[in-house]
Amino acid sequence: MARRKTVVIGFLGSVLDGGMGPERWDRWRPTVDLCRHEDFLVDRLDLLTQKKFNHILDRVTQDIAGISPETQVVPHLCELKDPWDFEEVYGALHDFAAGYDFRMAEDDYYIHITTGTHVAQICLFLLTESGRLPGRLLQTMPPPGHRRSAPGGLSVIDLDLSKYDRIAGRFEQEKKDSLTFLKGGISTRNRAFNDMIAEIEHISISSSAPILLMGPTGAGKSQLARRIFELKKSRRQITGEFVELNCATLRGDSAMSALFGHVKGAFTGASTSRDGLLRRANGGLLLLDEIGELGLDEQSMLLRALEDKRFLPVGADTESSSDFQLIAGTNRDLQRAVQDGLFREDLLARINLWTFHLPALRDRPEDIEPNIAFELEAISRRINKKLAFSREAYETYLAFARSDRGLWRSNFRDLNASITRMGTLAEGGRITGTLVSREIERLERLWVRPEGATTQPATFADLPPQHPCGELDLFDRMQLASVLEVCRDSRSLSEAGRKLFSSSRNRKRSVNDADRLRKYLLRHGLTWETIGGAYRAPAGGE
Amino acid sequence: MILLDGSTGEGGGQVLRTALSLSMVTRTPFVIENIRAKRRRPGLMRQHLTALAAAQAICHATVEGGELGSCRLQFTPGPVRGGKYRFAVGTAGSATLVLQTVLPALMIAGEPSELQLSGGTHNPFAPPYPHLAECFLPWINKMGPRVEAELHRPGFYPAGGGEFSVRIEPCSRLAPIDIAARGTIVRRTARILVAGLASGIAERQRELLMQWTTLGSEDIVVEILPNSVGPGNAVVLSLQAEHITEILVGCGEKELSSAAMIERLVKEMRTYISSNAPVGRHLADQLLLPMALAGSGRFVTMPLSSHAQTNIEVIRRFLSVPIVAVSQPDGLAEVQIGR
C-alpha cells in the first residue's frame, strides 16, 4: 500500500516568511520552519500567495528545497485587495477550497494557520470547522530563545474534540450535570425515564424545534419545560423569557388576545394595546400546556407563528413577529383529537417532531423512593423543620406507595401533597407509623372514584373518614368538596367566609361569614384547624 | 532474518545505519524493533528515512514499516548495484551519514559508482565533511578501493544545501590495515571557514587559537566561502603525525560563542595529543565496520565510546569475525579484528 502523503495548505507570510539576506536564517520563518521537523515530513506544500510577494515565494521555495528536498512547493495565486476584509478573504478561500481537488483516500491534509492575517486565520478555521477544508489545523510556534536555531514547535489541532481525553471528560461531566439538572436533582432509577431525559438533554441542546410533552396530570411536564429553558439559558442558547400558559384557562375572545395580543380599540374594553404571550416569548421559550384545549382559530394562528415566525394581533393591520421555541404539553390523545376534528392535523405534524411521554409515577415504582427523599427535603426547607420518618413508618409508606394500591392519580402533585400533609402534622418533625396509616387511608379515599362521577375534586381527600351523618349524597359531597377547596386557598377562616358568602354579604349589611362557615364545617364534623388551618396556618389561623 | 532491538545501547540511528550497511553487504535481511523506544518521540525520524531510502535505492530492497514514526522496520536487501546516484538529505541532516551507510556496499560492488550528495556537510551532530575527506577516506583507500570526494558547496546548519560528489572504484577484496602507532606530530594547521557572517568572527577565532595553542599565524588560514546557501562557521584542526592524520572540527552554532567553541575544540585536541593514541574517537567508530568486512586488522585508540560499542554489537550479529578490544595499561584500547 502506498504511503499516505502529507499535504499542508497555508498562506505565504508576507512578513513572517520574509527576509532575503543570510540573516533570514536567524529568524523563525513559519513556512520554512514547518519543513524542517525531524518528525513531520511535508510531501506537498500548497502555498496561497500573491504576485507582489513573488520574491518571497522564490526565496522560501529555494530554502525549502535545501532543507527539505522531499517537499514539493506548489504556489496558488490568491490575490486579495484587502487581506483584512473578512468577506473578501472568506470568499477567496471558499473559492480555493471549492476548486481544490482533495484526494482524501491518498492524502492527509493540514491547514497551517500561523501565517496570514488574523482574518485569514479566522477564515481558515471556519472553512476547516465546516469541513470545506477537510483537514486538521496546524499551528507552529517559534523555538525558545535559548535554542534559536532548533526547529520551533508544531501542534496539530483536531477539531473533533472527542479525541482529547480531558476535553471529552469535561463534556461528560457537563452532560451529567445537565441530566441531573433536568431531573431536578433527583437521582431517578427508572431506566426508560433516564433514557428519555438523556434524549431530551441532547435535543434541547442541539435543536430549537418544538417539543411535545405528553403525560398525565402532575407528571411534571411544566417543571421539565422550565428546566429545559434553564438549561438552554445556561448554555446561552436562549436569551428571552420563559412564558407559560395553560390553554385550558383560555376561553372565548380573550384567547386570541391573550396569545397574539391586540391593538388599542380592537374590541370593546381594549382601551390599551396588549402584546400577547407569543410576543413576550420572543427569543425565549413558550410552554403551552393542555394544547389540546386550544380553539381551532388559535391553532391556525399558532401554526403560522411557528412556520413563519409571524402572526396577526387582534384588530391589527400589520403582522407582529416573534421567534420562540415551543414546548407543548398535553394529556389528551391528539391523534384522536385530529380524527374528531378538534385539532389541526398540520399543527400536530409541526409540533410532534420530538414527542416524549412522561410516565405516570406508578409506572416508575423504582423512582418513588428518590422522589420521597427529594420532597421530604424540599418540604423540610420550606417549613423550616427537619423531617424524618421513623423506620417502620417509612417502610410502610414506601411499600404502600410502590404497591398496586398506590395509584398516584395526580402523580407528583399527589406525592407532594401527601408528604406536605405528613410533614405538617409531624410533631417534632417525626413522621410516625400513625401519621402514615392515616395518610394512606386519606390517599386511598382520594383515589376511589365515586360511582357516576367522571371527575373528582382533589379535596375529596379532606372529607372526614367517619362522617357524623353516615354516607353522604353525591350532591352534598360535591358541595362540601368545593367549600373545602375554597378553604384551602384561603389564609384564614374569615377570608374563606368572605369568598363563600360574597353575594349574600353584599345584600345583608353585617354578617359573620366566618361563623357561618364554622357552623357548616362543624355539621360535617370538621373544624378550620383540621382542614384549611392544617395546610396554611399551623400556628392557629384565625 | 536477524532481529535487532532498537532500544538497546545508543539505539536509534547508529544501529539502523550499521545494520543497513551490513545487510546490504551480506545480503541478509533484518528486522529492527522498538526503534528509539525510550525517546520522547519514538520511531523512525526523517534522517533515518533518508538513509533507508539511499540503502533501498542501491540494492532494491523490500522494506516494511519504513514510515515516519514507525517503531518496527523490516529490510530485505537485493543485489547491490553500483552506478550514478543522487541523494538529497533534508532538515540539514547530514549527507555524510548517508554516504557512510552506502559506502561499504558500494566499495566492494561489481561496478564503480558516482554519488551526488546534498544536505548538511558541516554540522555539529554528524561527521563533518573535512573529517570524512581528510581522515576517514585515506584509510579506506589504503584498504583497496579508490574513493575520492569533492566538496562543491558547504552546507551549514540550519540552512543545509551543501553538495559534494564521491567517486568510488570498488575492489573485490578489502585489505587489512594495522594502525598501531601515531609517530611524532609533524605539522599542525587550522582552517577557519566562514560563510555569510561578519569577518570579525574569523579574526576573533584566529586570535583565540593563537592564544590557547602553539599555532602561529602562518599555520591558520581563513576561508571565506562565497557560495553557501546559509550562514555558517567551522574551524578545522589538522594534526599530521608520521603514521596518521587526525582531523578535529568545531562547528559554529547560534547559541555557542566563538570562545566556547574554540575552547571545546582545543580541549579535544589536547586530549587526543596527550593520549598518544593514533586513532581518534570518531575514526574508531567509522573504521570498525570496514575493518570487520576486511576480516582482520588492528588499531589502537582511546577508550571506546558507547557509539563504538553499539557498533560492535551490531557487527557481531551479521559477521562471525571476532572483534576484541583489549584495554592497555596506558588507558588506551587495542581493537583486534579477526585472528
Side-chain angles (χ1 to χ4, degrees), chain A residues 406-419:
Chain A
L407 293 178
W408 301 111
R409 283 202 199 282
S410 290
N411 298 291
F412 292 97
R413 216 169 281 153
D414 281 351
L415 185 68
N416 169 275
S418 168
I419 306 278

Side-chain angles (χ1 to χ4, degrees), chain A residues 2-40:
Chain A
R3 185 177 71 82
R4 291 177 69 81
K5 282 196 170 143
T6 297
V7 178
V8 176
I9 297 169
F11 274 94
L12 177 74
S14 58
V15 179
L16 286 178
D17 287 333
M20 291 293 156
E23 75 287 346
R24 71 187 185 277
W25 293 102
D26 291 348
R27 276 189 27 237
W28 172 67
R29 289 179 293 163
T31 300
V32 176
D33 194 69
L34 176 66
C35 298
R36 51 183 291 239
H37 286 264
E38 263 296 290
D39 56 351
F40 188 79

Side-chain angles (χ1 to χ4, degrees), chain A residues 331-348:
Chain A
N331 60 358
R332 267 171 73 162
D333 180 352
L334 290 180
Q335 289 295 356
R336 196 147 159 208
V338 167
Q339 280 164 27
D340 296 345
L342 297 173
F343 204 79
R344 289 183 66 116
E345 191 169 13
D346 44 9
L347 179 60
L348 178 60

Side-chain angles (χ1 to χ4, degrees), chain A residues 463-481:
Chain A
L463 296 188
Q466 302 286 289
H467 196 272
C469 319
E471 200 57 34
L472 276 178
D473 281 336
L474 179 60
F475 180 87
D476 295 319
R477 219 179 153 87
M478 289 191 82
Q479 186 187 39
L480 177 57

Side-chain angles (χ1 to χ4, degrees), chain B residues 37-75:
Chain B
K38 293 170 198 160
R39 309 295 179 91
R40 192 168 63 87
R41 292 176 300 196
L44 292 172
M45 295 286 114
R46 284 176 68 180
Q47 51 159 320
H48 308 130
L49 294 186
T50 44
L52 175 65
Q56 195 177 5
I58 65 164
C59 75
H60 294 285
T62 313
V63 174
E64 276 175 46
E67 295 112 40
L68 206 59
S70 166
C71 291
R72 183 184 186 276
L73 173 77
Q74 185 173 328
F75 185 85

